[in-house]
Amino acid sequence: MNPAQNVVTKKMILVRALCLTQSLITHWILNKFHVHVINGFNHGEILEAHSRSKDDDLGVRHIPAYGEFNWTFRTDFFSRTKFSCHMWWTGGEKYLDVFWVDNKFLSNECGGNNCRRRSQDDGVYLLLFSYHHN
């Protein structure tokens, strides 16, 4: 490879790296995600939920019947953010991941940027429906 071709190749690699970096930064800055933990118990029971990520502890929440607890966040720069919740009620308890960065999970199970978990009398479920967040 002659010196002129070498310079062109290095410039092309630099341009590609800058484009990739710009895409990551834009995604990180612009994308907000929303998690909703919904109490859907029919018998009026309070749902207790303690949610956290590696960096953020959201504390214990007492969610009244038909109420919800939700939060909005951006993922970390390398898209490693993961939120888990411990939920409990008189009839049981559940530990589960409520958010993680995975294209299949976000597209198919969260419907994009909104992840919803709802307690019901027979367990805790992921809600699969479209939701517009204001």
Side-chain angles (χ1 to χ4, degrees):
M1 183 181 295
N2 69 43
Q5 288 175 321
N6 195 17
V7 169
V8 169
T9 301
K10 286 181 180 178
K11 285 183 180 180
M12 288 177 58
I13 291 171
L14 179 62
V15 167
R16 285 183 185 169
L18 288 173
C19 288
L20 177 62
T21 303
Q22 179 63 36
S23 174
L24 286 172
I25 290 171
T26 301
H27 180 275
W28 177 62
I29 290 173
L30 298 180
N31 272 348
K32 284 185 181 179
F33 294 93
H34 316 280
V35 174
H36 306 262
V37 176
I38 303 163
N39 182 346
F41 289 132
N42 287 323
H43 52 279
E45 185 168 356
I46 291 176
L47 174 67
E48 308 287 346
H50 184 194
S51 302
R52 67 175 74 180
S53 71
K54 184 180 80 169
D55 299 320
D56 298 300
D57 186 334
L58 304 178
V60 175
R61 302 300 173 123
H62 313 283
I63 307 168
Y66 307 107
E68 82 169 60
F69 164 55
N70 62 70
W71 66 96
T72 301
F73 59 94
R74 290 186 171 89
T75 62
D76 69 7
F77 182 75
F78 297 105
S79 296
R80 296 173 301 198
T81 302
K82 177 180 178 180
F83 276 95
S84 300
C85 293
H86 174 210
M87 299 177 204
W88 65 96
W89 57 96
T90 301
E93 69 178 329
K94 182 84 173 173
Y95 291 90
L96 64 149
D97 295 331
V98 294
F99 177 87
W100 63 93
V101 180
D102 173 76
N103 287 334
K104 182 179 177 186
F105 170 74
L106 293 173
S107 297
N108 298 339
E109 298 177 23
C110 275
N113 291 15
N114 285 285
C115 299
R116 291 160 301 286
R117 298 285 180 159
R118 183 175 71 193
S119 64
Q120 293 181 182
D121 294 334
D122 61 344
V124 178
Y125 296 91
L126 179 67
L127 296 178
L128 302 174
F129 61 87
S130 179
Y131 176 81
H132 177 70
H133 191 277
N134 293 331

